[in-house]
Amino acid sequence: MNKFYITTPIYYVNAKPHIGHAYTTIAADVLARFHKLQGKDVFFLMGTDEHGLKIQKKAEEAGKEPRVFVDEISAEFKSLWEKLDIKYDNFIRTTDEKHIKAVSKMLQTLFENKAIRKGEYEGLYCVGCEQFLNESDLVNGKCPDHDIIPEKMKEESYLLDMKSKQAELIQKIENDEFRITPEKYKKEMLSFLKNNELKDLSISRKNVSWGIPLPFDKSYTTYVWVDAFINYLTGIGWDGNIENIPEFWPANVQFIGKDILRVHATIWPIVLMYLGFPLPKTLFTHGHILSGGKKMSKTLGNTISIDEMLEKFGVDGTRYLLLSAGTFGEDVDVTTERMVEKYNADLANGLGNLLSRVVTLAQNSQFPAPNFVQSQPKADQPMAEISNDSILKLIENIELGQALDYIWNIIKEDDKYINDSEPWKLKKIDPKKFEKVMEKLLNDLDKISMLVAPFMPETSEKIKKALETKKVEPLFQRIK
Ligand code: MSP
């Protein structure tokens, strides 16, 4: 069967999840559901990144053992995904015993193959990024993503040889064997790689206990930017043995935010090349959710609480508002006021109102059972069979905001069609025409219920039910 493997980044457990994390996760869930509806064999991986200095420090501040601390926060992520109706196939934690073993085995292989060697490392360490930064990355001496001054450090360390693979990497990005999209990020990475020789990468730290000990030198640990990548393999059952490429590998789509593009477009593919594994097919980079013009982040403290959103807008409302806030890929600035406006306009008045109008008209009429009942898609029926190409292409190309626009255009057109054709009048004066008008509207709603299914699973079910039973409860209550 046609396989489809999709991943999100694994989230740091230094604090509770916020809507930035929900954003990536919902988008991946939409894509996973969409491909499932296309009849593919989908694997959707999700998880938490639990090692490192940042998390070790947070646990200390909270007066908790790191293990207890990460268990608590990881559980919060898991329960949020449940609330948001995220249907993943596995939830990987970097503290899982199996993951640790596989990472350790892999490092041993890289060490034996001389991809890793001991050396000295000097650099500027940003604990927010959990990586060394270049002078040129800083803005006013600070890490622009975390607004902190990185720490100058010099220590003996184990280093991964990056430059030996640089030419091959450039080639694979250029010919789209490793496709970085949207296009501007491919250009950005190619220009970076062509203008900078990749430095050896420090993969270990000495006095950071909360990590995975290097198998060949236990006084060092590794975490995040080698450890964490391997989740994409261990999450689908990899045991660390380079002979055993997991069945679902390579990933079809890996979602990442632009802040972690560079590591995902350099370290990650280079590790894979050393292992002799194929590279992911598509690395899709999205922009950030901003609040007041700045990336919404736990470190900056400008987050909108996801619980607040869920309470106000419900699960499907939250999923819709996040994905329709702008072009997926670009930065989007969100405010609660704008979201309330959009909720009322698109959901309460738009979709909700259209369904009520049509079902109410259908209720009070006695025309024979319309075609729509026969056109109800079956659970195993691929979406392609009931829909036209252009929206399928939009979703396939991960143009999620545009795909929603496409659906909402049908809604707007149908509203106009009702106003123009005035079916409530036709009922008496021209029953045949009334039937025709209703048939179109019911069929459109039937189609809408299918098209919104990956985005708003519960709403899709509610629409189907209302069409079948000719009974309707308001889908979305207006918010004052
Ligand atoms: N743990 C690393 C990823 C390792 S993957 C092998 C990490 N974690 S993170 O929790 O800081 O961020 C995870 C993802 O969430 C990133 O893709 C990041 O871009 C995304 N987001 C975090 N804040 C965000 C917004 N405000 N807006 C959109 N996405 C955001 O990096």
Side-chain angles (χ1 to χ4, degrees), residues 2 11 52 62 71 73 128 139 207 209 217 253 272 325-326 329 342 371 380 431 434:
N2 214 340
Y11 304 104
D71 279 353
I73 306 226
V139 176
N207 304 307
S209 57
D217 187 344
V253 177
L272 286 167
K342 203 160 166 53
N371 285 344
D380 60 351
F434 173 71

Side-chain angles (χ1 to χ4, degrees), residues 466-480:
L467 295 178
E468 273 162 19
T469 61
K470 288 197 192 171
K471 281 198 203 107
V472 65
E473 311 242 329
L475 285 180
F476 303 96
Q477 299 284 358
R478 266 191 76 83
I479 302 175
K480 299 234 163 50

Side-chain angles (χ1 to χ4, degrees), residues 111-323:
F111 185 64
E112 283 165 13
N113 294 348
K114 311 235 174 329
I116 295 174
R117 59 174 178 80
K118 196 165 188 182
E120 177 143 281
Y121 200 88
E122 188 172 358
L124 297 161
Y125 195 82
C126 170
V127 69
C129 299
E130 291 284 22
Q131 62 173 309
F132 288 96
L133 302 180
N134 299 318
E135 281 293 348
S136 57
D137 296 326
L138 307 183
V139 176
N140 301 326
K142 288 183 177 176
C143 162
D145 281 346
H146 298 98
D147 216 20
I148 47 180
I149 301 173
E151 197 187 330
K152 256 208 165 71
M153 284 198 359
K154 188 176 176 181
E155 66 182 22
E156 282 206 306
S157 181
Y158 284 87
L159 308 172
L160 179 72
D161 170 8
M162 301 279 284
K163 65 173 176 297
S164 302
K165 297 287 182 192
Q166 186 160 356
E168 193 183 337
L169 176 60
I170 292 177
Q171 200 187 16
K172 286 183 194 290
I173 296 176
E174 246 164 4
N175 67 18
D176 282 341
E177 184 183 328
F178 175 43
R179 185 166 157 257
I180 300 178
T181 144
E183 187 73 16
K184 67 171 176 185
Y185 292 114
K186 171 178 171 181
K187 288 206 177 104
E188 183 185 312
M189 278 318 304
L190 281 174
S191 137
F192 171 76
L193 285 165
K194 287 178 177 173
N195 293 309
N196 298 278
E197 181 173 273
L198 290 177
K199 286 196 290 185
D200 287 349
L201 175 88
S202 164
I203 60 142
S204 63
R205 290 288 306 273
K206 226 171 176 153
N207 304 307
V208 180
S209 57
W210 190 238
I212 302 180
L214 297 183
F216 38 84
D217 187 344
K218 299 254 163 42
S219 61
Y220 287 85
T221 55
T222 190
Y223 52 89
V224 188
W225 301 118
V226 166
D227 162 23
F229 288 127
I230 308 307
N231 95 85
Y232 300 136
L233 297 170
T234 54
I236 45 170
W238 192 48
D239 60 1
N241 184 337
I242 55 170
E243 309 288 310
N244 304 336
I245 302 186
E247 193 194 341
F248 270 95
W249 192 256
N252 296 72
V253 177
Q254 298 209 274
F255 268 137
I256 52 161
K258 64 179 185 180
D259 55 319
I260 52 174
L261 168 63
R262 199 179 296 168
V263 284
H264 273 83
T266 55
I267 310 172
W268 175 221
I270 285 176
V271 168
L272 286 167
M273 285 185 218
Y274 276 121
L275 297 175
F277 282 21
L279 302 192
K281 291 189 179 150
T282 297
L283 185 67
F284 186 94
T285 310
H286 64 74
H288 286 148
I289 297 218
L290 310 179
S291 156
K294 287 209 153 191
K295 179 188 168 201
M296 195 178 281
S297 88
K298 296 168 285 198
T299 322
L300 295 181
N302 57 348
T303 59
I304 292 182
S305 127
I306 191 81
D307 286 332
E308 195 186 307
M309 265 194 90
L310 279 170
E311 199 172 304
K312 247 196 168 80
F313 307 122
V315 175
D316 281 359
T318 301
R319 292 172 63 108
Y320 175 79
L321 290 170
L322 287 179
L323 290 188

